[in-house]
Amino acid sequence: MRWIRRNLVVIAGLLTLGYLILPNIVVMVFSFNKPAGRFNYSWQEFSTDAWKDPCGVADMCGSLSLSLQIALWATIGATVLGSMIAFALVRYRFRARGAINSLIFLPMAMPEVVMAASLLTLFLNLGAQLGFWTILIAHTMFCLSFVVVAVKARVLSMDPRLEEAARDLYAGPVQTFVRVTLPIAAPGIAAGALLAFALSFDDFIITNFNSGNTVTFPMFVWGSAQRGTPVQINVIGTAMFVIAVLIVVAAQLISNRRKNSAQPS
């Protein structure tokens, strides 16, 4: 009992982590299933057929490619705009700064269905044709707040004396930003970019409102669930999960290596 009390926080953390990872493990296991019917909900027998032909379902890889393109461009747009907004909110004093700080949190607190309906109304009033570009604009808009929050937290923790030291050593504004400010803010920018990519790739509600006849991967999965979920969906989900884990592990290893190299021997 003493050991349990001493390690209660660790045990609770591990149980919570296991609960969060459990759905991914189920998806991974059922990516090797060979279902008897249309639905891949019960285990039948082990098979690697879906892994050998991940694009065997019509239009699935096309929707996956479209989702990846939208997520990539939305991430770039939201990261660039969000980083500039974060620097402006932290470094400059201007009118309505407090109001803008409050409005930044609005898309994060607002239900997605409200934002989706608002964007749809805007596009219809502008006479825009629903499709790739309306999805991209919508994703960039709702990812923007998450990037601003991540980058802003990093910029607030930066020591301004480092930039002052660079200027004292005759570094220009551009040189100071590229060699001092940007490397320090890079972890926050990278975190915001990864979060934006995940949110954009995974989004269904906002996409469903503003897609028209365009079908992204989450919409394809939702449509497939109505008539039978192919095993290839589990294959794609497993591949995305493994890639995400590898990216996180690689980032952590690089960070640890940099910390170890920075310590005096």
Side-chain angles (χ1 to χ4, degrees):
M1 292 300 295
R2 290 181 180 178
W3 181 87
I4 293 177
R5 284 196 296 267
R6 285 198 306 267
N7 298 277
L8 185 60
V9 175
V10 177
I11 295 172
L14 291 175
L15 289 175
T16 303
L17 183 62
Y19 177 77
L20 293 174
I21 295 178
L22 182 60
N24 297 293
I25 296 176
V26 173
V27 170
M28 191 178 301
V29 170
F30 275 85
S31 68
F32 294 97
N33 186 30
K34 187 175 182 180
R38 295 182 302 166
F39 296 96
N40 185 27
Y41 299 150
S42 59
W43 181 262
Q44 298 296 326
E45 61 177 297
F46 180 86
S47 174
T48 58
D49 293 342
W51 283 93
K52 294 177 182 177
D53 188 17
C55 294
V57 180
D59 299 327
M60 190 184 72
C61 282
S63 64
L64 175 64
S65 175
L66 181 63
S67 285
L68 291 173
Q69 292 178 47
I70 293 173
L72 177 62
W73 289 113
T75 299
I76 293 173
T79 302
V80 173
L81 294 174
S83 299
M84 291 192 293
I85 293 172
F87 273 99
L89 291 174
V90 174
R91 297 294 179 85
Y92 299 98
R93 299 293 183 268
F94 51 89
R95 290 183 179 180
R97 179 171 172 267
I100 294 176
N101 265 314
S102 300
L103 288 173
I104 288 298
F105 290 94
L106 193 58
M108 301 172 63
M110 182 188 302
E112 278 195 51
V113 67
V114 176
M115 188 173 184
S118 301
L119 287 168
L120 176 61
T121 303
L122 174 65
F123 291 139
L124 292 178
N125 287 332
L126 293 175
Q129 183 178 0
L130 300 181
F132 178 89
W133 292 107
T134 54
I135 298 174
L136 179 58
I137 294 171
H139 282 206
T140 304
M141 290 295 293
F142 85 85
C143 289
L144 190 62
S145 297
F146 295 90
V147 176
V148 172
V149 171
V151 179
K152 184 182 173 185
R154 182 64 178 178
V155 176
L156 283 170
S157 66
M158 291 171 56
D159 189 350
R161 292 175 295 181
L162 297 174
E163 295 170 294
E164 294 172 2
R167 288 192 291 268
D168 289 340
L169 295 172
Y170 305 103
V174 176
Q175 197 173 17
T176 301
F177 179 79
V178 172
R179 296 194 175 186
V180 179
T181 307
L182 190 59
I184 298 175
I189 296 174
L194 290 174
L195 183 59
F197 184 89
L199 289 169
S200 176
F201 181 83
D202 186 56
D203 181 76
F204 173 78
I205 298 176
I206 293 177
T207 305
N208 190 40
F209 272 74
N210 299 278
S211 61
N213 295 322
T214 304
V215 179
T216 61
F217 186 67
M219 295 179 65
F220 178 86
V221 173
W222 178 80
S224 298
Q226 312 302 312
R227 56 183 182 273
T229 308
V231 185
Q232 282 82 353
I233 289 179
N234 297 66
V235 172
I236 299 299
T238 301
M240 297 296 293
F241 174 73
V242 171
I243 291 172
V245 170
L246 291 177
I247 291 174
V248 172
V249 171
Q252 189 63 42
L253 291 175
I254 293 172
S255 177
N256 292 338
R257 183 174 298 179
R258 287 180 177 177
K259 289 180 181 179
N260 293 333
S261 61
Q263 293 177 354
S265 56

